[in-house]
Amino acid sequence: MVKIIWKGFTEHVIRAPRRPLPPDAHPLLIPRRHYWLKAILLAAPVYLPILASLYLKNYLLQTDLRDKPWIVAGMALALLLGPLHECLHAWCYPKGATAYIGVLYKRFLFYMDCGASISRGRYFVMCLLPMLLCILPWIIFLLCPAEAKALASLCWGCAIMSAVGPAPDYMNALCAWRQVPRGGYMQEGEDGRDYWYVSTATTPDNTNIHHK
């Protein structure tokens, strides 16, 4: 299993140990113009069904499950699940890799940094696995009876926030799907950008990496 090290509250991203990129590595091109607008629109297939389910369930149960304080509490819970979100990213990396997880305290943003190479398919899983933090509370919300208004609102707030929050991850997965050929590998560079390359060998050796 990947070795996860908690770096705490930091001013900038602490880079994990990594090996140099191969000479044929290509940067993963992420659109910068209207980035957040595109990312939020890309996340629409995830958060729109959750949004619609609230009104549909209210209609079917002939009640109003919206309890605003509990919805806000659910959104706050989703933010507090940031370390688990990053751990889900990190757990997708191969055995022997080292991942750093921390919080940029000036922006209150959680981050995960790992310099190990990862296959194209596993990169998709790494980007999308935190959707579990959206799907699980949504399922609980859908199963809640009308009497469980507080729990339903809490889970719905957590689900909707956990659906929108990973929008950059959805963008990364889409860009990798479009740009990286089958059999390609992904690796984060020293500059924090993702790079891809095609290896003729088997899975790269992620244990032979150095500290900066």
Side-chain angles (χ1 to χ4, degrees):
M1 181 178 288
V2 62
K3 181 180 180 181
I4 298 176
I5 300 177
W6 171 250
K7 305 303 290 186
F9 292 85
T10 63
E11 186 174 358
H12 55 83
V13 176
I14 306 298
R15 298 297 175 196
R18 64 198 66 219
R19 65 179 188 175
L21 288 165
D24 61 339
H26 306 273
L28 185 67
L29 302 178
I30 307 293
R32 295 303 173 190
R33 186 177 182 181
H34 306 306
Y35 172 78
W36 280 105
L37 176 61
K38 293 176 180 178
I40 294 298
L41 290 176
L42 182 62
V46 182
Y47 64 76
L48 286 182
I50 298 174
L51 184 62
S53 69
L54 175 63
Y55 295 95
L56 179 60
K57 185 160 186 172
N58 285 343
Y59 173 76
L60 293 175
L61 296 180
Q62 293 297 301
T63 186
D64 188 356
L65 289 172
R66 292 173 296 181
D67 190 327
K68 292 182 180 179
W70 282 106
I71 290 176
V72 173
M75 292 180 173
L77 175 61
L79 294 176
L80 294 176
L81 290 175
L84 179 56
H85 174 114
E86 303 303 335
C87 283
L88 289 171
H89 282 317
W91 287 333
C92 294
Y93 281 86
K95 182 179 179 180
T98 299
Y100 290 169
I101 292 177
V103 185
L104 300 176
Y105 61 83
K106 289 185 177 180
R107 302 165 60 189
F108 195 67
L109 287 177
F110 295 92
Y111 69 87
M112 187 281 297
D113 188 87
C114 184
S117 55
I118 187 172
S119 68
R120 177 181 183 265
R122 187 174 285 199
Y123 182 83
F124 294 149
V125 176
M126 184 273 294
C127 289
L128 301 178
L129 189 60
M131 287 180 64
L132 288 175
L133 300 180
C134 158
I135 295 172
L136 294 179
W138 188 32
I139 291 175
I140 297 175
F141 163 76
L142 293 175
L143 296 176
C144 281
E147 297 76 18
K149 185 175 181 178
L151 178 60
S153 296
L154 178 74
C155 291
W156 187 86
C158 184
I160 195 72
M161 180 63 76
S162 298
V164 177
D169 296 329
Y170 309 150
M171 178 67 77
N172 289 344
L174 177 63
C175 291
W177 179 73
R178 288 176 172 175
Q179 300 173 36
V180 183
R182 294 181 182 275
Y185 287 90
M186 307 289 299
Q187 183 178 331
E188 190 175 293
E190 293 290 350
D191 57 0
R193 296 180 63 185
D194 287 334
Y195 291 80
W196 65 268
Y197 61 93
V198 177
S199 175
T200 56
T202 56
T203 305
D205 180 8
N206 288 311
T207 61
N208 187 24
I209 53 182
H210 62 279
H211 290 265
K212 283 285 184 181

